[in-house]
Amino acid sequence: MLAEAEEDLRQKEERRAKLAQCRQNLERVPSTDTIYFLQEFQALKIAAEEKSSLCPSFQKELSFTKSSQAVCAVKELLVTACKNQWDQLLGKGYEEPGFQGMQEAVAEPQPLDKSNNPACMETRDYFLKFAFIIDLDSDTADKFLQLFGTKGAKRVLNPIAYPESPSRFINCEQVLGENLMNRGNYYWEVEIIDGWVSIGVIAEDFNPRESYDRGRLGRNEKSCCLQWNGQNYVAWYGGFESVIQQPFFHTIGVYLEYSEKALTFFGVKDAKMTCLQQLKVARFKKGHFDAFQNKINHQFPSLFTYNLKPAFFLESVDAHMQIGPLKKDCVSVLKRR
């Protein structure tokens, strides 16, 4: 884009210089020399009527209203590089507010490429080797979450009188698992019983008193999640989202590879694994730009500098979830082996 803009600017400068020269020639014509005046005037008219070069154009038009993510992504990538170019355009007195017809920054959702994703090729038995038994930490549960033992949670209308705790969420209906993850591989499953539920991981030192906007899973750089919003699955990280076109699964498998700095979400049904989304640094396909993947590429690896905990957000008033019973399945796998 910048290369084309520079070429466009060069052509406009040449045309401006030509017009200035024609005007100067015209002003030098003596008032009594009518023929010479008409010749120079004709030259100026021809130069003025020449078609100006087109501004940089692309196949798609950028729609700043389609997604606030597009604005953020374009700003992060281009604002510094475009500043000097924009100053030059302003210096030449052009009325156009900026580049017209920029390529749309957010590409259409791309299907997950399983061929380059080894985790998506494995069976459920493979992941059960890394089974991570999670117990919910009641000291972190928001007052509008009712816990059922250490495995179940449901959002309720009436607040529960939990004791004071510095690790308790106060603005978001969230709860964490007790155990830390800081090396190796981990796998766990969660059953979505009802409502809108988000499943993910969060840094151990995350402030549970953050505001609702920043405190929810995936709306900051210290957490990420897979959300079921009643219609679609959506992956969230750093306030950026990626909509996933897959049917609803009651059971979600989560596979964390600490050394690979990767987190993969699966839909689980009858021991069959459907890869929904993998959060991991990856190159863009040629001709495509994805604001969500760009955010992953720039900041997601930093999440693995922290000790992590499993995290759950029960967003709707009827939300209800249960941590999957993996112990029995793990024993079965070991026996078969």
Side-chain angles (χ1 to χ4, degrees):
M1 288 170 55
L2 288 175
E4 292 190 23
E6 288 172 357
E7 176 63 20
D8 175 68
L9 180 60
R10 184 188 64 77
Q11 294 177 12
K12 287 185 176 180
E13 287 175 338
E14 291 178 355
R15 182 165 175 262
R16 180 178 181 273
K18 186 176 180 180
L19 288 171
Q21 183 63 44
C22 290
R23 178 184 175 183
Q24 197 173 44
N25 293 340
L26 187 62
E27 290 174 344
R28 291 174 180 172
V29 176
S31 59
T32 58
D33 194 339
T34 306
I35 294 180
Y36 187 27
F37 175 83
L38 290 175
Q39 289 175 343
E40 291 299 332
F41 180 76
Q42 184 66 20
L44 176 61
K45 182 179 179 183
I46 292 173
E49 290 178 349
E50 287 180 358
K51 291 184 178 180
S52 60
S53 60
L54 296 176
C55 292
S57 60
F58 300 88
Q59 293 179 354
K60 294 185 179 180
E61 182 179 47
L62 176 63
S63 172
F64 284 97
T65 59
K66 182 177 180 181
S67 173
S68 61
Q69 296 176 9
V71 181
C72 295
V74 170
K75 182 179 179 182
E76 287 180 6
L77 292 177
L78 297 181
V79 67
T80 302
C82 287
K83 185 177 184 301
N84 293 336
Q85 186 74 26
W86 176 229
D87 290 342
Q88 292 179 34
L89 289 173
L90 286 178
K92 297 302 179 183
Y94 296 115
E95 297 179 356
E96 297 169 358
F99 301 124
Q100 300 297 316
M102 289 172 63
Q103 184 179 23
E104 187 168 6
V106 179
E108 295 299 318
Q110 298 297 312
L112 191 61
D113 186 359
K114 297 183 180 181
S115 61
N116 296 325
N117 196 344
C120 290
M121 308 298 290
E122 302 291 349
T123 64
R124 184 169 180 265
D125 285 356
Y126 170 82
F127 296 107
L128 290 177
K129 296 185 300 182
F130 308 104
F132 185 52
I133 307 304
I134 297 174
D135 291 320
L136 297 178
D137 184 356
S138 61
D139 287 338
T140 65
D142 178 85
K143 62 184 178 180
F144 289 102
L145 294 184
Q146 179 182 359
L147 300 187
F148 298 92
T150 60
K151 303 298 182 185
K154 183 178 182 180
R155 183 166 168 178
V156 294
L157 294 175
N158 297 320
I160 297 175
Y162 287 121
E164 289 291 328
S165 170
S167 58
R168 189 177 307 286
F169 288 96
I170 63 171
N171 296 314
C172 305
E173 293 76 12
Q174 298 181 155
V175 61
L176 305 183
E178 288 184 345
N179 302 86
L180 291 175
M181 300 176 289
N182 54 21
R183 66 186 68 177
N185 298 346
Y186 305 83
Y187 177 77
W188 64 98
E189 291 180 355
V190 180
E191 297 177 13
I192 301 176
I193 300 174
D194 204 356
W196 297 17
V197 176
S198 297
I199 303 158
V201 298
I202 195 169
E204 178 190 18
D205 65 351
F206 183 78
N207 181 10
R209 298 179 180 273
E210 279 278 9
S211 66
Y212 181 79
D213 288 341
R214 287 279 301 168
R216 291 176 292 167
L217 287 181
R219 275 65 166 189
N220 51 74
E221 286 73 29
K222 285 192 173 184
S223 68
C224 60
C225 72
L226 179 76
Q227 173 201 41
W228 171 252
N229 63 15
Q231 293 183 329
N232 298 299
Y233 286 107
V234 184
W236 284 91
Y237 174 69
F240 285 71
E241 62 181 309
S242 176
V243 178
I244 302 163
Q245 303 297 333
Q246 288 285 354
F248 175 71
F249 291 89
H250 279 287
T251 303
I252 299 298
V254 186
Y255 182 50
L256 177 68
E257 300 171 273
Y258 210 90
S259 61
E260 297 294 324
K261 296 180 174 59
L263 182 67
T264 310
F265 297 99
F266 298 90
V268 183
K269 184 177 181 181
D270 300 329
K272 181 182 178 181
M273 308 286 284
T274 300
C275 197
L276 300 177
Q277 180 81 34
Q278 183 176 66
L279 308 186
K280 185 180 181 180
V281 172
R283 293 182 179 180
F284 294 121
K285 293 182 178 180
K286 186 176 181 180
H288 292 285
F289 177 81
D290 186 324
F292 178 78
Q293 186 61 50
N294 181 62
K295 185 71 172 178
I296 293 291
N297 291 350
H298 281 80
Q299 292 186 288
F300 189 66
S302 65
L303 184 62
F304 291 84
T305 61
Y306 303 97
N307 291 327
L308 301 177
K309 285 189 170 185
F312 311 91
F313 175 35
L314 284 73
E315 191 167 356
S316 62
V317 293
D318 57 345
H320 188 183
M321 50 129 317
Q322 178 84 19
I323 296 175
L326 290 179
K327 288 183 179 180
K328 181 179 178 181
D329 294 327
C330 294
V331 170
S332 299
V333 170
L334 292 173
K335 285 182 178 180
R336 289 199 298 273
R337 290 181 179 276

